Amino acid sequence: AQRIFTRHARRNCGESARTVAMRTLLTEETVKVPKGCKITIKSKIVEVSGKHGSLKRDFKHLPIELMLADGGKKVIARMYFAKSKQCSMLNTVCSHISNLFEGVTKKFEYKMRLVYAHFPINVNIINGGKTIEIRNFLGEKVVRTVHMLPGIAVEKSSNTKDEIIVSGTDIELAGRSTALIHQSCLCKKKDIRKFLDGIYVSSHGVHEE
């Protein structure tokens, strides 16, 4: 009985060894820390600070390992025994961290254009760029008020007519703020192929100073 058990054990060990050899043991991605940025990682919570402020992001929901290397000049993201779909999480995490770096050093900027055919859209920015009031949309008397998310500011463009600029350090909050403005000016119960009035995003990216 002991010999049979040993043979089965060897055979099982061989099968498991072949299975492990087919899988990726370690997958690793790195992100360089730009100059002027400070980063701290504690319990998968990443906090980045720069000249435009600080941002924090939590990655506790992902089965990854985050650490600093080269004296805080490089961020390493690791994952063990990951499949192809799980490896995509590493690229996502690195993209989020890169957006944090760009946000605190350069800021993100969304440019929106006021589009109208007959009734000109009037925009009034109040509360120090934290709130925008939209009037005369399709000739309506309703005043549409949109509040920006924390850390996001809106202003009128000084160079282009009928253009507003939404800027902030957090790319997600900036994008959500532009979505709130766009969704507040939707043509309801009309043919959207003909009624094209509204406020649309014309361009977005990093604000180059």
Side-chain angles (χ1 to χ4, degrees), residues 18 126 151:
R18 287 194 297 271
I126 59 176

Side-chain angles (χ1 to χ4, degrees), residues 83-171:
K83 298 181 181 179
S84 58
K85 289 187 177 180
Q86 295 171 337
C87 289
S88 62
M89 287 190 291
L90 290 179
N91 294 326
T92 302
V93 170
C94 293
S95 298
H96 285 312
I97 296 176
S98 298
N99 288 334
L100 295 179
F101 290 142
E102 291 185 352
V104 298
T105 55
K106 301 178 182 179
K107 280 192 176 183
F108 290 98
E109 186 178 81
Y110 285 74
K111 294 183 179 180
M112 306 186 73
R113 298 296 298 270
L114 311 180
V115 179
Y116 52 87
H118 183 69
F119 298 99
I121 301 175
N122 298 324
V123 169
N124 186 26
I125 297 174
I126 59 176
N127 197 14
K130 301 296 182 182
T131 307
I132 181 172
E133 292 180 347
I134 304 168
R135 305 173 187 269
N136 201 35
F137 176 69
L138 293 179
E140 297 178 359
K141 301 297 183 181
V142 179
V143 179
R144 292 166 166 81
T145 303
V146 181
H147 300 283
M148 298 293 100
L149 295 175
I152 307 301
V154 59
E155 61 180 356
K156 291 183 179 180
S157 176
S158 59
N159 301 325
T160 307
K161 180 186 176 184
D162 294 333
E163 183 181 68
I164 59 176
I165 299 175
V166 180
S167 61
T169 57
D170 195 326
I171 185 173

Side-chain angles (χ1 to χ4, degrees), residues 29-51 53-57 59 66-77 93-102 104-105:
E29 294 288 340
T30 59
V31 179
K32 292 184 179 180
V33 179
K35 294 182 179 179
C37 288
K38 294 182 180 179
I39 180 173
T40 58
I41 300 176
K42 185 177 181 181
S43 300
K44 296 183 184 180
I45 298 178
V46 180
E47 186 172 359
V48 178
S49 60
K51 63 179 181 179
S54 61
L55 293 174
K56 183 185 293 185
R57 187 145 192 138
F59 297 104
L66 290 174
M67 64 183 69
L68 293 176
D70 294 343
K73 297 181 180 179
K74 185 187 299 182
V75 182
I76 298 178
V93 170
C94 293
S95 298
H96 285 312
I97 296 176
S98 298
N99 288 334
L100 295 179
F101 290 142
E102 291 185 352
V104 298
T105 55

